[in-house]
Amino acid sequence: MNINRLVETMTREEKVALVSGYDQWHTVEIPRLGIPSIMVSDGPHGLRKQGAEGDHLGIGISTPSTCFPPAATSANSWDPGLLYAMGQAIGEEALQEGVSVVLGPGVNIKRSPLCGRNFEYFSEDPWLAGELAKGWIEGVQSIGVGACIKHFAANSQERWRMLNDSLVDERALREIYLAAFEHAVREAQPWTLMPAYNKLNGAYCCENQELLESILRTEWGFEGATISDWGAVNDPTLSIKAGLDLEMPASYGVSAQQLEEDLVSGRLTEHALNKAVRRVLELVAKGQAQKREFRYDADAHHGLARKIAAESAVLLKNTDGVLPLSKEQKVCIVGQFAEHPRYQGTGSSQINPSRLDTILGLLEKEKAPYTYAKGYELEHDEINEELIADACTLAAEADVAVIFAGLTARFESEGYDRAHLGLPPSHNELISRVAQVNRNVVVVLSAGAPVTLPWLDQVKGVLHTYLGGQAGASATLDLLYGKVNPSGKLAESYPLRLEDCLSSEYFSYSRDQTEYRESIFVGYRYYDAARKEVLFPFGYGLSYTQFSYGELELSATEQLDSDSLTVRCKVTNTGDVAGAEIVQLYVGRDSSRIYRAPRELKGFKKVYLEPGETQTVEFVLTPRSFAYYNMEIRDWHVEPGEYQISVGASSRDLPLVASIKINAVQQDVEVPDYRSLAPVYYHLDRGDIKISQEDFQTVYGRPFPKSHDALPRFHGNSTLEDLQVTLLGRLVLRFAKRYLWKMTGATDEDDPLWIMTWTSTREMPLRSMVAMSGGTIPPHMVQGLLAWANGERLRALKLWVFG
Ligand code: BGC
């Protein structure tokens, strides 16, 4: 494909058509010029390939494929190599299915444990998320299939995700919310990147020139194409001008018409359009060139899914060595998750698994003796006394009771957030009651995000399998019986209470704007700064063996801010079984002019050790490992002075500590000092902290953008919910409800698919309705609805009747 020639030859009509999708999943084909169409599909923990109509919420059926563990799970492996292998396997499946780009990975930072989509994201820490994303992207792309890193950026809540404006101060943005994207883009060059639904600091991500041009392309050197999140385009012209290349899905002519009009009026230049056209053509050419016949090995992929699930489970508690179990023990299995596992979340990432292992199925196959009690119902979360009584009777007769419990499907979904950190009452009650009749209780937890465990003291063992993917049950049995030694560590902190999380008061509280008042203090950065006790710290996880740490060595005790530092230490397996340890390195400072977290993860390595074996682990820290983002110079800067290097087994277990003094080469850089203007950020350990709007305003450093609420009339960004003040709005919503009820096949309002579809529809801006309905709602219907709601009845009727 000679791209320059093509751009010269294409008509305006062809150009405006090419920068929008053809349907849900394909780019536009232009046979006259031999421009083929390529297909993109979700991701990220498998391939969700649908037919042309399809949907962006995982409602319709998709081709069976391997359901690997979602990102929240695989992150606990802390193993970019495993993520690479997963990426390769997904790439192979995409290749076989003729899919050129897989929409993943998702690297949004877990600002709050409540975000409904946290199961699709890696971590609260950008270094960990960035390294894992890099592995995944390189794996997919090694096969000749593109990755699409998403959702760029600060898309940290599901509620009102299509309208909400994330107000994030520049330091938090650079150090926390952009850093994983930056790392993965610089290191792995994903073919594509997906700007998110939300606004960031006043501009929709798809219209955010600062984000898409200045930062992404100019600073980071991104060479690929940007693809909007599905239905995220607000104004196609502003988007193209800002650096968006491809709008997805099809806008059914709406955007093309607007782009053509704007080309005529001069609001859009041909030059800007050509940039996007060129990048779409480059993407199509790349995708097309790599297409080839391929057959993947489904058994091997299932095996890989099992390995990843096993490497990612986290042993949270193991009193008296209750685990591993032995085949001689009489085991009582409790909990319906043993029959119907929870292995992924709901929404656009939902894979139709090629097969699904279950605990009971596997035990049957092995002809292993066991008893089983359902324990709770799946359809709702209320306590069922009868089922609990049955479970207690059987558990009392067993040597050990293994309870499969956790979050049921309606807790974790795209489209809405959780309301609390609790498990279903039926699960909590079951565990407490079984623990009264059997002293050896092991809980196998399934949940893609932090939960509270009120019964923790009553049980001996907790194995957290997160969401294990289609082979999760096999992996669980491997771990329970010691065939595999648990080695996963938490990629996020578990607070004792939701209120302990600094963002909890400033999360998901208004439709229009969300102030990220906690700034850089996300996850362990806050708990450590506040010296708060946690249920389980970031980086925590046990093993069936023990490890000891020693002989920390730094390549220097004093160096320049432009130098790299090599850090070595020794790790020994002191137990009597082989196992893997995830060695973590944190960098921190005791006193500083800027506010900062006491320590930040800057390196990690997973090492496999035979009993008695010692290995030397080496890390190389670059100047960036010590840097903060300086808003005055709009660049990274290393503050001169003394830094602590801590190495150990978790963010709260760091036996090795050494200091390094860093001297400045780069003189005369003012280090921002907010000690008098926003002192709260320096004293987070003084009791229960509230961050006032004034404090946040100081570090935000400019006026807050205007909120949408100010607009007097209904407009494209009004939602069906907004229109409820009009009779027509109420009628439309009632009709939509009936239609969606049928479409989802829901039978009760607690069905996660229903909650997601219904919430997304109510909160969707009207401008997205044409695209999101796959063109079944024509543009003039939506315009008529708006006109009617604004009292322009005649115009509305004209639109409805004449189009
Ligand atoms: C999600 C994206 C997904 C897209 C296509 C959107 O709703 O936010 O992550 O890739 O749909 O299904």
Short mmCIF file of all heavy atoms in Angstrom, two decimals, residues 24-25 40-44 48 50 55-58 102-104 106 117 120-121 148 150-151 155 158 161-162 194 196-197 228-231 248-249 347-349 414 760 772, ligand 1:
data_model
loop_
_atom_site.label_atom_id
_atom_site.label_comp_id
_atom_site.label_asym_id
_atom_site.label_seq_id
_atom_site.Cartn_x
_atom_site.Cartn_y
_atom_site.Cartn_z
N GLN A 24 -19.63 -2.48 14.16
CA GLN A 24 -19.09 -2.55 15.54
C GLN A 24 -17.58 -2.83 15.56
O GLN A 24 -16.87 -2.35 16.43
CB GLN A 24 -19.79 -3.66 16.32
CG GLN A 24 -21.09 -3.25 16.96
CD GLN A 24 -20.89 -2.38 18.19
OE1 GLN A 24 -19.91 -2.49 18.92
NE2 GLN A 24 -21.85 -1.49 18.43
N TRP A 25 -17.11 -3.64 14.62
CA TRP A 25 -15.75 -4.17 14.76
C TRP A 25 -14.83 -3.98 13.57
O TRP A 25 -13.65 -4.34 13.64
CB TRP A 25 -15.81 -5.69 15.08
CG TRP A 25 -16.69 -6.01 16.23
CD1 TRP A 25 -17.85 -6.72 16.20
CD2 TRP A 25 -16.52 -5.60 17.60
NE1 TRP A 25 -18.40 -6.79 17.45
CE2 TRP A 25 -17.61 -6.11 18.34
CE3 TRP A 25 -15.56 -4.85 18.28
CZ2 TRP A 25 -17.77 -5.91 19.71
CZ3 TRP A 25 -15.71 -4.64 19.65
CH2 TRP A 25 -16.81 -5.18 20.34
N VAL A 40 -11.20 -5.51 14.54
CA VAL A 40 -10.67 -5.39 15.90
C VAL A 40 -11.66 -6.10 16.84
O VAL A 40 -12.83 -6.22 16.50
CB VAL A 40 -10.51 -3.91 16.34
CG1 VAL A 40 -9.64 -3.15 15.35
CG2 VAL A 40 -11.85 -3.21 16.47
N SER A 41 -11.19 -6.59 17.98
CA SER A 41 -12.09 -7.27 18.93
C SER A 41 -11.57 -7.10 20.34
O SER A 41 -10.36 -6.96 20.54
CB SER A 41 -12.14 -8.78 18.64
OG SER A 41 -12.92 -9.03 17.51
N ASP A 42 -12.49 -7.20 21.33
CA ASP A 42 -12.02 -7.21 22.72
C ASP A 42 -11.26 -8.50 22.91
O ASP A 42 -11.52 -9.49 22.25
CB ASP A 42 -13.24 -7.19 23.66
CG ASP A 42 -13.80 -5.78 23.75
OD1 ASP A 42 -13.03 -4.88 24.10
OD2 ASP A 42 -14.98 -5.58 23.44
N GLY A 43 -10.38 -8.53 23.76
CA GLY A 43 -9.70 -8.27 24.89
C GLY A 43 -10.42 -7.98 26.22
O GLY A 43 -11.60 -8.06 26.33
N PRO A 44 -9.52 -7.87 27.26
CA PRO A 44 -8.06 -8.16 27.23
C PRO A 44 -7.64 -9.58 27.68
O PRO A 44 -6.52 -9.97 27.37
CB PRO A 44 -7.46 -7.16 28.21
CG PRO A 44 -8.57 -6.32 28.71
CD PRO A 44 -9.86 -7.03 28.39
N ARG A 48 -12.72 -11.81 22.31
CA ARG A 48 -14.20 -11.80 22.24
C ARG A 48 -14.59 -11.39 20.82
O ARG A 48 -14.88 -10.24 20.55
CB ARG A 48 -14.79 -10.84 23.27
CG ARG A 48 -16.32 -10.89 23.30
CD ARG A 48 -16.88 -10.03 24.40
NE ARG A 48 -16.78 -8.63 24.15
CZ ARG A 48 -17.74 -7.86 23.61
NH1 ARG A 48 -18.88 -8.41 23.26
NH2 ARG A 48 -17.56 -6.58 23.42
N GLN A 50 -17.05 -11.19 17.88
CA GLN A 50 -18.48 -11.28 17.58
C GLN A 50 -18.70 -11.08 16.10
O GLN A 50 -17.80 -10.66 15.38
CB GLN A 50 -19.23 -10.15 18.30
CG GLN A 50 -19.27 -10.28 19.79
CD GLN A 50 -20.20 -9.24 20.39
OE1 GLN A 50 -20.09 -8.06 20.08
NE2 GLN A 50 -21.12 -9.67 21.22
N ASP A 55 -21.88 -6.08 20.12
CA ASP A 55 -22.16 -5.02 21.08
C ASP A 55 -20.93 -4.79 21.92
O ASP A 55 -20.03 -5.63 21.98
CB ASP A 55 -23.35 -5.42 21.98
CG ASP A 55 -23.03 -6.65 22.80
OD1 ASP A 55 -22.42 -6.49 23.86
OD2 ASP A 55 -23.36 -7.77 22.39
N HIS A 56 -20.92 -3.64 22.60
CA HIS A 56 -19.72 -3.27 23.35
C HIS A 56 -19.86 -3.64 24.82
O HIS A 56 -19.06 -3.22 25.64
CB HIS A 56 -19.47 -1.77 23.21
CG HIS A 56 -20.47 -0.96 23.97
ND1 HIS A 56 -21.78 -0.92 23.60
CD2 HIS A 56 -20.35 -0.22 25.08
CE1 HIS A 56 -22.44 -0.18 24.48
NE2 HIS A 56 -21.60 0.26 25.38
N LEU A 57 -20.88 -4.43 25.17
CA LEU A 57 -21.06 -4.75 26.59
C LEU A 57 -21.02 -6.25 26.87
O LEU A 57 -21.31 -6.69 27.98
CB LEU A 57 -22.40 -4.17 27.09
CG LEU A 57 -22.48 -2.64 27.18
CD1 LEU A 57 -23.89 -2.20 27.54
CD2 LEU A 57 -21.49 -2.10 28.20
N GLY A 58 -20.66 -7.01 25.87
CA GLY A 58 -20.55 -8.46 26.10
C GLY A 58 -21.90 -9.14 26.24
O GLY A 58 -22.00 -10.20 26.84
N VAL A 102 -6.32 -6.60 19.09
CA VAL A 102 -7.05 -7.02 20.29
C VAL A 102 -7.10 -5.83 21.25
O VAL A 102 -6.06 -5.22 21.54
CB VAL A 102 -6.37 -8.22 20.98
CG1 VAL A 102 -7.18 -8.66 22.19
CG2 VAL A 102 -6.22 -9.39 20.01
N LEU A 103 -8.31 -5.50 21.70
CA LEU A 103 -8.50 -4.29 22.51
C LEU A 103 -8.07 -4.52 23.96
O LEU A 103 -8.87 -4.81 24.83
CB LEU A 103 -9.96 -3.84 22.42
CG LEU A 103 -10.46 -3.62 20.98
CD1 LEU A 103 -11.96 -3.35 20.96
CD2 LEU A 103 -9.70 -2.48 20.33
N GLY A 104 -6.82 -4.39 24.20
CA GLY A 104 -6.24 -4.52 25.52
C GLY A 104 -4.76 -4.21 25.42
O GLY A 104 -4.26 -4.04 24.30
N GLY A 106 -5.79 -3.20 29.61
CA GLY A 106 -6.34 -2.07 30.37
C GLY A 106 -5.37 -1.75 31.50
O GLY A 106 -5.09 -2.61 32.33
N ARG A 117 -14.83 -1.98 37.34
CA ARG A 117 -14.05 -2.61 36.32
C ARG A 117 -12.62 -2.90 36.77
O ARG A 117 -11.76 -3.19 35.94
CB ARG A 117 -14.03 -1.68 35.11
CG ARG A 117 -14.13 -2.39 33.82
CD ARG A 117 -14.29 -1.42 32.69
NE ARG A 117 -14.11 -2.15 31.46
CZ ARG A 117 -14.14 -1.59 30.27
NH1 ARG A 117 -14.35 -0.30 30.15
NH2 ARG A 117 -13.97 -2.30 29.20
N GLU A 120 -10.52 -5.73 35.44
CA GLU A 120 -9.89 -5.65 34.11
C GLU A 120 -8.55 -4.91 34.16
O GLU A 120 -7.91 -4.76 33.12
CB GLU A 120 -10.81 -4.89 33.17
CG GLU A 120 -11.62 -5.76 32.25
CD GLU A 120 -12.31 -4.96 31.17
OE1 GLU A 120 -11.64 -4.58 30.21
OE2 GLU A 120 -13.51 -4.69 31.31
N TYR A 121 -8.21 -4.37 35.31
CA TYR A 121 -6.98 -3.58 35.41
C TYR A 121 -5.97 -4.30 36.30
O TYR A 121 -6.31 -5.14 37.11
CB TYR A 121 -7.30 -2.19 35.97
CG TYR A 121 -8.31 -1.43 35.12
CD1 TYR A 121 -9.31 -0.66 35.71
CD2 TYR A 121 -8.27 -1.51 33.73
CE1 TYR A 121 -10.23 0.03 34.93
CE2 TYR A 121 -9.18 -0.82 32.95
CZ TYR A 121 -10.16 -0.06 33.54
OH TYR A 121 -11.07 0.61 32.77
N CYS A 148 -4.10 -2.75 21.85
CA CYS A 148 -4.72 -1.43 21.97
C CYS A 148 -4.76 -1.08 23.46
O CYS A 148 -5.67 -1.50 24.18
CB CYS A 148 -6.13 -1.45 21.40
SG CYS A 148 -6.95 0.16 21.49
N LYS A 150 -5.51 0.70 26.84
CA LYS A 150 -6.71 1.49 27.15
C LYS A 150 -6.85 1.64 28.64
O LYS A 150 -6.16 0.92 29.39
CB LYS A 150 -7.94 0.81 26.55
CG LYS A 150 -8.25 -0.60 27.11
CD LYS A 150 -9.35 -1.27 26.32
CE LYS A 150 -9.81 -2.56 26.96
NZ LYS A 150 -10.83 -3.27 26.22
N HIS A 151 -7.68 2.47 29.19
CA HIS A 151 -8.49 3.53 28.59
C HIS A 151 -7.81 4.82 28.99
O HIS A 151 -7.76 5.13 30.18
CB HIS A 151 -9.91 3.48 29.15
CG HIS A 151 -10.52 2.10 29.03
ND1 HIS A 151 -10.43 1.15 30.01
CD2 HIS A 151 -11.22 1.52 28.01
CE1 HIS A 151 -11.07 0.05 29.62
NE2 HIS A 151 -11.56 0.23 28.42
N ASN A 155 -9.55 7.05 33.80
CA ASN A 155 -10.89 6.45 33.70
C ASN A 155 -11.01 5.49 34.89
O ASN A 155 -10.81 4.30 34.76
CB ASN A 155 -10.98 5.73 32.35
CG ASN A 155 -12.30 5.03 32.09
OD1 ASN A 155 -12.43 4.29 31.12
ND2 ASN A 155 -13.28 5.24 32.95
N GLU A 158 -16.77 3.65 36.87
CA GLU A 158 -17.71 3.27 35.83
C GLU A 158 -18.93 4.18 35.81
O GLU A 158 -19.48 4.46 34.78
CB GLU A 158 -18.14 1.81 36.02
CG GLU A 158 -17.04 0.85 35.67
CD GLU A 158 -16.60 1.00 34.23
OE1 GLU A 158 -17.34 0.64 33.32
OE2 GLU A 158 -15.49 1.54 34.00
N ARG A 161 -19.44 7.20 33.36
CA ARG A 161 -18.11 7.19 32.72
C ARG A 161 -18.09 7.94 31.39
O ARG A 161 -17.04 8.36 30.94
CB ARG A 161 -17.63 5.75 32.51
CG ARG A 161 -18.50 4.95 31.55
CD ARG A 161 -17.92 3.57 31.31
NE ARG A 161 -18.85 2.74 30.57
CZ ARG A 161 -18.53 1.66 29.93
NH1 ARG A 161 -17.29 1.23 29.96
NH2 ARG A 161 -19.42 0.95 29.29
N MET A 162 -19.26 8.10 30.74
CA MET A 162 -19.24 8.74 29.43
C MET A 162 -19.27 10.26 29.50
O MET A 162 -19.17 10.93 28.48
CB MET A 162 -20.39 8.22 28.58
CG MET A 162 -20.25 6.74 28.29
SD MET A 162 -21.49 6.12 27.19
CE MET A 162 -20.80 6.57 25.60
N MET A 194 -6.39 3.50 23.04
CA MET A 194 -7.80 3.87 23.11
C MET A 194 -8.03 5.03 24.09
O MET A 194 -7.94 4.83 25.31
CB MET A 194 -8.63 2.66 23.56
CG MET A 194 -10.13 2.89 23.53
SD MET A 194 -11.05 1.52 24.29
CE MET A 194 -10.87 0.24 23.08
N ALA A 196 -10.18 7.30 26.41
CA ALA A 196 -11.29 6.84 27.24
C ALA A 196 -12.56 7.66 27.00
O ALA A 196 -12.55 8.66 26.30
CB ALA A 196 -10.88 6.96 28.71
N TYR A 197 -13.64 7.22 27.64
CA TYR A 197 -14.93 7.90 27.55
C TYR A 197 -14.90 9.27 28.23
O TYR A 197 -15.50 10.23 27.77
CB TYR A 197 -16.00 7.09 28.29
CG TYR A 197 -16.52 5.89 27.54
CD1 TYR A 197 -16.47 4.62 28.10
CD2 TYR A 197 -17.08 6.03 26.28
CE1 TYR A 197 -16.98 3.52 27.44
CE2 TYR A 197 -17.59 4.93 25.60
CZ TYR A 197 -17.54 3.68 26.18
OH TYR A 197 -18.04 2.59 25.52
N SER A 228 -11.05 5.48 19.30
CA SER A 228 -11.91 5.94 20.40
C SER A 228 -12.50 4.76 21.15
O SER A 228 -12.72 3.70 20.56
CB SER A 228 -13.07 6.77 19.85
OG SER A 228 -14.03 5.92 19.27
N ASP A 229 -12.79 4.93 22.43
CA ASP A 229 -13.60 3.93 23.10
C ASP A 229 -14.97 3.96 22.41
O ASP A 229 -15.35 4.96 21.80
CB ASP A 229 -13.73 4.17 24.62
CG ASP A 229 -14.16 2.88 25.32
OD1 ASP A 229 -14.62 1.93 24.63
OD2 ASP A 229 -14.05 2.79 26.57
N TRP A 230 -15.71 2.89 22.54
CA TRP A 230 -16.92 2.69 21.75
C TRP A 230 -18.01 3.72 22.10
O TRP A 230 -18.59 3.68 23.19
CB TRP A 230 -17.42 1.26 21.95
CG TRP A 230 -16.91 0.32 20.90
CD1 TRP A 230 -17.67 -0.54 20.16
CD2 TRP A 230 -15.56 0.11 20.45
NE1 TRP A 230 -16.88 -1.23 19.27
CE2 TRP A 230 -15.60 -0.85 19.41
CE3 TRP A 230 -14.33 0.68 20.77
CZ2 TRP A 230 -14.46 -1.28 18.74
CZ3 TRP A 230 -13.20 0.27 20.09
CH2 TRP A 230 -13.27 -0.70 19.10
N GLY A 231 -18.21 4.65 21.19
CA GLY A 231 -19.22 5.67 21.43
C GLY A 231 -18.69 6.86 22.20
O GLY A 231 -19.46 7.67 22.71
N MET A 248 -14.76 4.59 16.79
CA MET A 248 -15.44 3.30 16.79
C MET A 248 -16.62 3.38 17.73
O MET A 248 -16.57 4.10 18.72
CB MET A 248 -14.50 2.18 17.23
CG MET A 248 -13.50 1.75 16.15
SD MET A 248 -14.22 1.18 14.59
CE MET A 248 -14.71 -0.48 14.99
N PRO A 249 -17.72 2.63 17.49
CA PRO A 249 -17.95 1.87 16.26
C PRO A 249 -18.43 2.83 15.18
O PRO A 249 -18.23 4.04 15.30
CB PRO A 249 -19.07 0.92 16.70
CG PRO A 249 -19.84 1.67 17.73
CD PRO A 249 -18.84 2.53 18.44
N GLY A 347 -19.20 -7.73 31.17
CA GLY A 347 -18.98 -6.55 30.32
C GLY A 347 -18.28 -6.90 29.04
O GLY A 347 -18.26 -8.06 28.61
N SER A 348 -17.65 -5.89 28.45
CA SER A 348 -17.09 -6.07 27.12
C SER A 348 -15.92 -7.05 27.10
O SER A 348 -15.52 -7.51 26.04
CB SER A 348 -16.62 -4.72 26.58
OG SER A 348 -15.61 -4.20 27.41
N SER A 349 -15.35 -7.36 28.25
CA SER A 349 -14.21 -8.28 28.26
C SER A 349 -14.66 -9.73 28.44
O SER A 349 -13.83 -10.63 28.54
CB SER A 349 -13.27 -7.91 29.41
OG SER A 349 -13.89 -8.17 30.65
N GLU A 414 -18.45 -4.07 34.32
CA GLU A 414 -18.33 -2.81 33.60
C GLU A 414 -19.66 -2.07 33.76
O GLU A 414 -20.70 -2.69 33.96
CB GLU A 414 -18.11 -3.15 32.11
CG GLU A 414 -17.93 -1.96 31.23
CD GLU A 414 -17.50 -2.36 29.82
OE1 GLU A 414 -17.05 -3.50 29.62
OE2 GLU A 414 -17.61 -1.50 28.93
N SER A 760 -25.98 1.59 31.94
CA SER A 760 -25.27 2.21 30.82
C SER A 760 -26.25 2.99 29.94
O SER A 760 -25.91 4.06 29.43
CB SER A 760 -24.58 1.17 29.94
OG SER A 760 -23.75 0.37 30.71
N MET A 772 -24.29 3.45 19.44
CA MET A 772 -24.42 2.36 20.40
C MET A 772 -25.60 1.45 20.09
O MET A 772 -25.65 0.32 20.57
CB MET A 772 -24.56 2.91 21.82
CG MET A 772 -23.38 3.74 22.25
SD MET A 772 -21.82 2.87 22.18
CE MET A 772 -21.27 3.14 23.84
C1 BGC B 1 -15.23 -0.61 26.66
C2 BGC B 1 -13.94 -0.96 25.95
C3 BGC B 1 -14.20 -2.01 24.91
C4 BGC B 1 -15.25 -1.49 23.94
C5 BGC B 1 -15.59 -2.46 22.83
C6 BGC B 1 -16.36 -0.28 25.70
O1 BGC B 1 -17.57 -0.25 26.37
O2 BGC B 1 -15.02 0.47 27.53
O3 BGC B 1 -12.99 -1.42 26.88
O4 BGC B 1 -13.01 -2.34 24.26
O5 BGC B 1 -16.45 -1.22 24.66
O6 BGC B 1 -16.34 -3.52 23.31
#
